[in-house]
Amino acid sequence: MSLTLSLARGAVTSPFKRAGRPGATLPAGRLRLPAAPPAPGRLAAYRTICGFPATGPLPVTYPHVMAFPLAMRLMTRRDFPLPVTGLVHTWIEITAHRTLRPEDSLELTVYAEGLSPHRRGTEVTVVTEARLAGELVWESRSGYLSRHATRTEAPAPVTPPAPLPAVTEWRLPGDLGRRYAAASGDRNPIHLHPLTARLFGFPRAIAHGMWTVARCLAETPDPATLRTVRADFRAPVLLPGTVTYASDGHAFQLRGGKDGERLHLTGTTG
């Protein structure tokens, strides 16, 4: 099933699902894509839009992009308990066990690992794995939040992290979401046009969270050496807009607002 069809199915089935239902369970089993190398044209477009070098190792975020249609197929299944409409990507952890090349034929697997209560609803963890000739070479875990009324106690306020040294400023065009969607295949309507974004409560289209992570990682001195990444999505980036990338060499942030007071993204690398 194509990603577009999965999105359409999700839009149809979401009204019939109720997040937070007691006793909800996740689909059993795993979804797989047979081993195949990345499509060269789409990979080249992804490198360009995210700022990675035009040649060299596979960007550390790219297996997630390759497997995203599988993740959408999983999250739009009838037996998936959360409505995909309104599902928010809240965090991602990536572990690269080795450097991957564009010619590597990766077998991709996606499965749901667990449901957990969240102060704003219910969060599901989705796992993606990439294997090369049977060897696990890359994996990620992502949190997706379905917002609903909950009795879960709010945690104690967390002190915002101190601003990191500013490195550069990016002016993001209004069509960034459409350009990234063409490269990644993620055509969620909240990223494409102001009108479709307003249907989901956003004043304008917002940048893809995975674009913000990839763009930050592309700024590291040698992206090919990255082995671990943790990123937390704090607030959406409205398009068009201006953001500041900040880093101390290990941790990174994406900030916006007049004085950089709005924290969009935090992360660490290793």
Side-chain angles (χ1 to χ4, degrees):
M1 177 181 291
S2 72
L3 185 53
T4 300
L5 288 176
S6 292
L7 287 169
R9 183 173 69 175
V12 171
T13 59
S14 286
F16 301 97
K17 297 182 178 182
R18 183 168 64 87
R21 177 172 52 84
T25 58
L26 290 166
R30 303 182 176 204
L31 301 180
R32 290 181 172 84
L33 282 177
R42 178 162 285 184
L43 174 57
Y46 179 84
R47 290 182 187 271
T48 298
I49 193 66
C50 296
F52 288 107
T55 60
L58 201 67
V60 70
T61 48
Y62 201 65
H64 178 91
V65 174
M66 295 174 65
F68 188 67
L70 274 187
M72 285 301 302
R73 192 187 308 172
L74 170 70
M75 292 188 286
T76 57
R77 284 173 48 161
R78 288 185 178 182
D79 55 352
F80 190 79
L82 305 179
V84 71
T85 300
L87 210 59
V88 178
H89 196 180
T90 49
W91 56 270
I92 186 170
E93 293 179 344
I94 296 173
T95 301
H97 298 290
R98 52 171 287 184
T99 299
L100 299 178
R101 310 294 303 183
E103 61 271 20
D104 288 338
S105 289
L106 300 177
E107 178 190 349
L108 301 169
T109 304
V110 170
Y111 61 95
E113 188 174 62
L115 290 169
S116 57
H118 186 281
R119 63 188 179 87
R120 292 183 177 176
T122 300
E123 191 172 71
V124 61
T125 299
V126 176
V127 180
T128 301
E129 297 175 344
R131 286 177 168 79
L132 183 61
E135 176 191 356
L136 180 64
V137 292
W138 183 100
E139 58 187 310
S140 74
R141 281 168 172 76
S142 286
Y144 294 92
L145 173 65
S146 180
R147 295 178 178 175
H148 59 82
T150 177
R151 296 182 180 179
T152 301
E153 292 187 12
V158 177
T159 303
L164 297 174
V167 177
T168 187
E169 184 178 87
W170 299 326
R171 296 182 183 275
L172 310 182
D175 67 345
L176 175 63
R178 295 190 291 277
R179 292 167 56 201
Y180 182 80
S184 68
D186 182 356
R187 292 182 171 83
N188 187 320
I190 63 175
H191 304 300
L192 304 182
H193 297 280
L195 179 60
T196 53
R198 282 196 291 270
L199 295 175
F200 295 91
F202 298 99
R204 303 195 301 273
I206 65 173
H208 293 71
M210 286 305 298
W211 177 87
T212 64
V213 174
R215 186 67 189 88
C216 289
L217 297 180
E219 288 291 316
T220 60
D222 189 357
T225 65
L226 295 175
R227 287 295 177 263
T228 61
V229 176
R230 165 76 191 208
D232 292 272
F233 305 105
R234 302 296 189 104
V237 176
L238 297 176
L239 301 173
T242 300
V243 293
T244 298
Y245 165 71
S247 176
D248 64 2
H250 171 63
F252 60 91
Q253 298 172 346
L254 201 61
R255 292 182 172 271
K258 184 177 180 180
D259 298 310
E261 73 281 0
R262 187 166 178 79
L263 186 59
H264 296 292
L265 174 74
T266 60
T268 57
T269 60

